[in-house]
Amino acid sequence: MNRAVPLLATVLLAASASAASPSAPVASITLAPLRNFYDYRLLQTDAGKTAPREVSAVQAGKILAGYDVIFVGEAHRHPGSHLLQMDLLEAVHANAPGISLSMEQFT
């Protein structure tokens, strides 16, 4: 389990009210609009090697479980950020129950 820090997911957090059209293009994929202010998206980018693809928190948890360190950023003014963090933590924990959590507000 000595793998490098992943640059796996780009989190798109936006209010559904801000969507200008029914679907918003991102790179070569089309995404459905977000449903509410708590919604979020995870995109697997493979560091630009392949076209981005949307993944669920469960899928991301399976992918990230093999990494030693995972950094998750947030948009401080978006309520979906903390929901994403909780969903992702639960998904990674389901696949790697020995994980530890460090939060920037405690450092």
Side-chain angles (χ1 to χ4, degrees), residues 8-13 23-24 26-35 39-46 50-60 63:
L8 167 80
T10 299
V11 180
L12 298 179
L13 300 168
S23 44
V26 175
S28 62
I29 62 172
T30 301
L31 302 170
L34 297 175
R35 299 170 304 220
D39 211 355
Y40 61 84
R41 286 202 178 90
L42 292 171
L43 298 179
Q44 182 177 1
T45 63
D46 286 327
T50 61
R53 72 178 184 97
E54 190 167 1
V55 294
S56 69
V58 171
Q59 291 169 313
I63 295 166

Side-chain angles (χ1 to χ4, degrees), residues 4-100:
V5 175
L7 296 176
L8 167 80
T10 299
V11 180
L12 298 179
L13 300 168
S16 59
S18 68
S21 64
S23 44
V26 175
S28 62
I29 62 172
T30 301
L31 302 170
L34 297 175
R35 299 170 304 220
N36 56 53
F37 288 109
Y38 297 96
D39 211 355
Y40 61 84
R41 286 202 178 90
L42 292 171
L43 298 179
Q44 182 177 1
T45 63
D46 286 327
K49 295 176 194 167
T50 61
R53 72 178 184 97
E54 190 167 1
V55 294
S56 69
V58 171
Q59 291 169 313
K62 289 176 183 175
I63 295 166
L64 295 171
Y67 287 93
D68 294 324
V69 177
I70 304 164
F71 291 96
V72 178
E74 67 180 59
H76 286 280
R77 295 179 184 211
H78 192 286
S81 291
H82 295 136
L83 179 60
L84 159 69
Q85 292 166 344
M86 181 186 71
D87 288 349
L88 194 56
L89 177 62
E90 287 177 344
V92 173
H93 181 265
N95 293 281
I99 64 170
S100 297

